[in-house]
Amino acid sequence: GQTLAPRRVHVVENCSRDRTLRVAEELAAEDPRVQVVRATRCGEGAARNRGLAEAEGADLVALLDADDLWEPAFLAAAAAALRAAPPGTGVVHAEYRLIDEAGRPFAGRTRRATRSGDIFRPLLLDAYAVTGSMSGSVIHGSLVREGLRFDENLWFAEDWEFWLRVARRCGFVPIHQPLVNIRIRGDSVQRASGQGAESEVALLRIELEIMRRHLDAVEESELADAMRRRVLVRAFALRH
């Protein structure tokens, strides 16, 4: 449980094939704060958008992916960080650990949260990662009420695309504590689609298309340099 209890918990059923729906319905029967809803279509973007739609009236919104875990102090630390943040701040992002399918942390795999304020340029040009998944962040409710949603047409890098649009609208503040545990599974999208030249090219195309969407915000030469770096990263991945 969290030291700062959430007012509402919306569990989005997203084409699960296990006991997720049954367990969620049992929780909802025991706790009036829990509501089970269904995504309109399969996919992470659709599930997250349904959750955001349900949470439009909230002051703060946090998304927790199915297999990830929060440390008990996460929500309290995020709420305190936003209260103390400068005006115009809309997102808190925490440091996080990578854990395996059994919940064991990988040695040396803690990711630091270092950027604050306007992070759009490092996010677009320098491959700065806000968090390893949406589980490591808390969003101000005003952004949700303004219609902020995920691009449901993307099957890769949808988090990055989402954060780029957010970063053009508000500032970010980090929490310098690893309060989130992100589970790495063998069947993750990145692993399942990350084998061979064709898949690397497909991922690169998505990344470059996302970058082109922000050509109006940076110099064309800067974006071109960043695109070349992305190409080199994918080429390196193929060789190793």
Side-chain angles (χ1 to χ4, degrees), residues 12-15 38-53 149-154 158:
V12 182
E13 204 290 311
N14 183 31
C15 307
R38 294 177 183 268
T40 56
R41 54 188 285 198
C42 293
E44 289 186 359
R48 290 167 173 173
N49 284 344
R50 181 60 195 274
L52 291 175
R149 297 294 186 272
F150 288 84
D151 184 342
E152 296 184 18
N153 294 316
L154 294 174
E158 63 270 21

Side-chain angles (χ1 to χ4, degrees), residues 118-138:
D118 182 356
I119 70 166
F120 173 72
R121 289 177 62 84
L123 190 60
L124 177 67
L125 304 176
D126 301 330
Y128 176 69
V130 172
T131 179
S133 82
M134 291 304 298
S135 302
S137 59
V138 173

